[in-house]
Amino acid sequence: MKTVLSYIRPHRAILGLQFLIKFAGTVLELFLPWMLSAILDDAAPSGDIFKVLLWGGGMILCALMALVTNIIANRMAMKISRNVIAALRHDLYDKVLHLSGSQADRLTLPSLISRLTSDTYNVHQLLDNMQRLLVRAPILLLGGMIIAAILEPVLTLVLLGTLPLLGLIIWYTSRIGVPMYGQVQTALDLLVRTVRENIHGIRVIKALSKSDDEIARFERINQELAQKEQRAGIVMSVTNPGMNLLLNLGLALVILAGAFRVQAGLTRPGIIIAFLSYLTIIITALMRVPRLFVIYSKGAASARRIAEILDMQADLAVKPCDRRPSPCHIEFSSVRFSYNKIKDNLQDISFSLRQGETLGIIGPTGSGKSTLVSLLLRLYDPDSGEIRISGENIQGMAPEILYSKFGVVFQNDFLLTGTLRDNIDFGRPLGDAAVEAAAQTAQMDYVSDMDGGFSSLLSVKGANLSGGQKQRLLIARALAADPEILVLDDCSSALDYKTDAALRRGLAVGYQNTTRIIIAQRISSIKNADKILVLDSGRMIGYGTHPELLASCASYRDMVEVQMGVVSR
């Protein structure tokens, strides 16, 4: 909560003014029953019309002023809540984008999505309602009790007798309810993950006739979430009827005792009516307490989840590292890495590339090819060993400097909803010449067949493009900024052999000074690379040129025989 509260501090001045306006409007409401008692006990019995009109006019004026001040205060509360949550959501999104790969893996993507959406909404509701009710309810409660005690001290004692029981109900339900809403948000994470998986895989689900199975799986998770919400709701719902019972019993006792006191001449009817009005005000204020606690329970649980991310320390901080002259552009030295810190996903990886050289990486699924790229981009840090670019350890490079060196196409990349130009430019002011040159190298010849050319709109996730067209668009995006290092992670699998060969020729001619790392399953895609790295189960089982590997690496030779039929050295 401290992290979230820090976002409120810049608004302290306007928040204080809003509280003063809310306070003034609430106090004006407390005058209304007292004025009514004056009319009933003094002005009306004496037949003084002037006093009746005077007190009646005062009541109308107080009611109007209370209305205006409450409207102003509520609008200010809404503005404060909106600005606070906008800043909070912005910083949370920024923090999410700067999480390391291991932190994102630990939190999971569905949880990050729900924290950015439903959790920030719950905190918004908490801030908004606390500003509206946290000032108003206590003033009405305490002010009403003070004025009621002045008017009728004896009857006030009856009301005070119910307060300890009310406090016990509120304490009990909040102690149990707040943790339960945290469990509800965790269950919501699982629901978001399930929906996300189904939406991403909707075509596969339909193609394999698994719609009924996925509906059943969703129903189980949905029911689990509903049950947790129901249990939390049942606990919190005890507050409302319990308080109703106690308050109504108190009201009945007040009316009964008041009748006896009026009959005995100890008080006047106007005071009893005013006291009942104040009692109604007190009851209304107390009835808002359960609502506040429900909102607080949700908001506090969500605030803790948000603070967990905002308070996270960067585990990929820039470290002071030495820089040494090196003829190599990229160096891996005895690199070892494990995702779960139990079994190594990469072990003892060592190689080097000069500026402008091409490295081809090949190996079976799960051999660590994409993991190697993730380490080069410093999405994770190796458990041991060093990775250097131009002699500088990447752990000593600022992220913006490191990432500016790369043009990357990941194995499972994404496209934005927008134009072809927007997806290639990607928010970088590159200009039309750079966009068109990159598209030409990436063999995006299909642009000329589209009605809008580079201004043609893409559907969500590029659904109106074929697999090969998407891959060429992603490659153009990576090439557009003329990167120092180009990483292509199995991004030509949907290209036909002719287009793949044309792409490789275009890279060789137009990007001679760019160091290229190409992960592929096709031998033809990496056959002419300066160096080829063969991985299997996270280990280097071969490193060299195509002819060298044919002579020294049996696994590579087997792949060549399977794909090309004849081993040619």
Side-chain angles (χ1 to χ4, degrees):
M1 283 295 290
K2 289 183 179 179
T3 303
V4 176
L5 289 174
S6 64
Y7 285 85
I8 301 176
R9 293 194 188 103
H11 304 274
R12 283 177 294 184
I14 189 171
L15 190 61
L17 178 61
Q18 185 261 346
F19 281 167
L20 288 175
I21 294 173
K22 194 75 172 179
F23 178 84
T26 306
V27 170
L28 286 172
E29 290 185 51
L30 290 174
F31 286 142
L32 296 175
W34 176 72
M35 292 180 178
L36 178 61
S37 70
I39 293 174
L40 294 176
D41 288 337
D42 296 328
S46 64
D48 191 341
I49 300 300
F50 176 75
K51 282 187 177 181
V52 172
L53 294 176
L54 181 63
W55 285 111
M59 290 181 70
I60 294 173
L61 181 62
C62 285
L64 289 175
M65 291 178 64
L67 175 66
V68 172
T69 51
N70 277 307
I71 289 174
I72 293 173
N74 288 342
R75 289 176 65 88
M76 293 175 68
M78 181 178 63
K79 182 178 180 180
I80 293 170
S81 301
R82 179 194 65 200
N83 292 340
V84 168
I85 295 303
L88 178 65
R89 192 182 292 115
H90 172 274
D91 289 353
L92 180 61
Y93 184 73
D94 180 78
K95 186 74 174 185
V96 167
L97 289 183
H98 287 87
L99 292 176
S100 68
S102 59
Q103 289 174 325
D105 292 342
R106 185 170 67 254
L107 291 167
T108 74
L109 292 180
S111 179
L112 294 175
I113 292 171
S114 64
R115 294 180 202 221
L116 277 163
T117 52
S118 63
D119 282 325
T120 53
Y121 173 77
N122 288 339
V123 174
H124 179 273
Q125 289 294 100
L126 173 64
L127 293 178
D128 190 40
N129 283 279
M130 286 299 176
Q131 289 179 84
R132 294 170 186 263
L133 302 178
L134 194 59
V135 176
R136 180 177 173 80
I139 293 173
L140 290 176
L141 178 61
L142 296 176
M145 293 183 67
I146 291 170
I147 298 176
I150 294 172
L151 288 175
E152 258 295 347
V154 176
L155 297 181
T156 305
L157 293 175
V158 177
L159 180 63
L160 289 175
T162 62
L163 293 183
L165 295 175
L166 293 173
L168 180 62
I169 292 174
I170 293 171
W171 172 81
Y172 175 77
T173 53
S174 62
R175 185 176 67 88
I176 298 178
V178 171
M180 293 183 79
Y181 279 112
Q183 297 172 10
V184 168
Q185 289 302 114
T186 302
L188 181 62
D189 291 346
L190 180 58
L191 183 74
V192 172
R193 186 181 74 185
T194 304
V195 172
R196 185 172 178 271
E197 289 173 348
N198 287 342
I199 290 175
H200 278 279
I202 191 167
R203 295 184 179 183
V204 177
I205 292 169
K206 289 183 176 181
L208 298 179
S209 301
K210 287 294 181 180
S211 298
D212 292 339
D213 293 339
E214 290 303 314
I215 290 172
R217 183 166 75 99
F218 177 82
E219 183 62 22
R220 288 195 300 271
I221 296 169
N222 191 29
Q223 284 297 324
E224 183 180 348
L225 173 59
Q227 289 170 4
K228 289 185 177 181
E229 286 183 327
Q230 184 180 27
R231 286 195 290 267
I234 288 173
V235 170
M236 299 307 295
S237 66
V238 171
T239 311
N240 205 35
M243 292 182 67
N244 261 327
L245 175 64
L246 293 173
L247 291 172
N248 287 326
L249 286 174
L251 180 60
L253 292 173
V254 165
I255 293 174
L256 184 62
F260 280 108
R261 288 180 60 79
V262 171
Q263 189 176 12
L266 299 174
T267 188
R268 293 181 292 178
I271 291 178
I272 295 299
I273 292 174
F275 188 88
L276 292 175
S277 297
Y278 283 116
L279 185 59
T280 302
I281 290 174
I282 293 168
I283 291 174
T284 303
L286 283 171
M287 292 304 297
R288 287 174 178 167
V289 172
R291 180 186 171 194
L292 279 175
F293 270 92
V294 171
I295 294 171
Y296 172 78
S297 299
K298 292 182 178 181
S302 294
R304 282 194 291 270
R305 284 160 51 86
I306 292 172
E308 181 185 358
I309 296 178
L310 294 176
D311 293 339
M312 243 178 213
Q313 298 299 317
D315 61 356
L316 296 180
V318 177
K319 304 174 183 179
C321 298
D322 65 307
R323 181 172 185 172
R324 61 190 184 212
S326 173
C328 298
H329 191 197
I330 298 174
E331 296 176 84
F332 274 63
S333 302
S334 303
V335 171
R336 182 180 65 83
F337 174 73
S338 169
Y339 286 107
N340 55 21
K341 309 308 175 189
I342 298 175
K343 179 182 178 181
D344 286 341
N345 297 93
L346 288 176
Q347 48 185 310
D348 197 25
I349 304 297
S350 298
F351 65 86
S352 61
L353 292 174
R354 291 179 178 272
Q355 180 86 36
E357 286 188 333
T358 299
L359 171 68
I361 304 177
I362 196 167
T365 301
S367 58
K369 303 185 295 296
S370 296
T371 300
L372 188 147
V373 170
S374 296
L375 293 177
L376 178 60
L377 289 164
R378 209 192 174 199
L379 302 180
Y380 302 86
D381 270 344
D383 297 329
S384 63
E386 289 184 341
I387 302 172
R388 293 180 178 269
I389 296 178
S390 300
E392 184 176 2
N393 192 318
I394 63 171
Q395 294 185 9
M397 301 173 67
E400 58 273 13
I401 295 176
L402 174 64
Y403 296 143
S404 67
K405 297 177 180 293
F406 288 92
V408 184
V409 182
F410 290 104
Q411 190 172 7
N412 297 309
D413 223 321
F414 73 101
L415 294 171
L416 300 172
T417 302
T419 65
L420 292 175
R421 180 179 285 102
D422 293 337
N423 275 275
I424 297 175
D425 184 271
F426 206 61
R428 304 165 291 183
L430 300 178
D432 291 343
V435 168
E436 292 172 8
Q440 183 177 358
T441 302
Q443 310 303 308
M444 286 182 59
D445 50 358
Y446 60 86
V447 176
S448 59
D449 298 328
M450 303 180 75
D451 293 338
F454 285 100
S455 297
S456 301
L457 290 173
L458 296 186
S459 302
V460 177
K461 297 173 63 176
N464 57 336
L465 296 181
S466 68
Q469 289 172 334
K470 290 179 187 178
Q471 288 188 339
R472 283 178 277 175
L473 176 57
L474 292 167
I475 293 170
R477 177 199 292 173
L479 295 173
D482 193 16
E484 184 179 319
I485 302 170
L486 177 65
V487 178
L488 303 178
D489 186 357
D490 197 16
C491 63
S492 60
S493 57
L495 302 184
D496 59 79
Y497 285 95
K498 180 180 178 181
T499 303
D500 189 18
L503 171 63
R504 284 185 278 113
R505 286 195 299 271
L507 292 175
V509 173
Y511 295 85
Q512 295 178 351
N513 295 324
T514 299
T515 304
R516 299 178 290 277
I517 297 177
I518 302 174
I519 298 175
Q521 297 294 340
R522 292 178 181 173
I523 295 294
S524 60
S525 298
I526 60 170
K527 178 181 177 181
N528 297 319
D530 297 291
K531 298 290 183 181
I532 299 173
L533 173 63
V534 185
L535 292 175
D536 188 13
S537 300
R539 294 179 297 107
M540 292 178 60
I541 60 172
Y543 182 69
T545 62
H546 177 71
E548 291 171 349
L549 290 174
L550 287 176
S552 63
C553 182
S555 295
Y556 184 78
R557 189 163 54 248
D558 290 342
M559 284 186 280
V560 174
E561 289 178 352
V562 168
Q563 293 186 26
M564 306 181 74
V566 178
V567 176
S568 174
R569 303 186 186 184

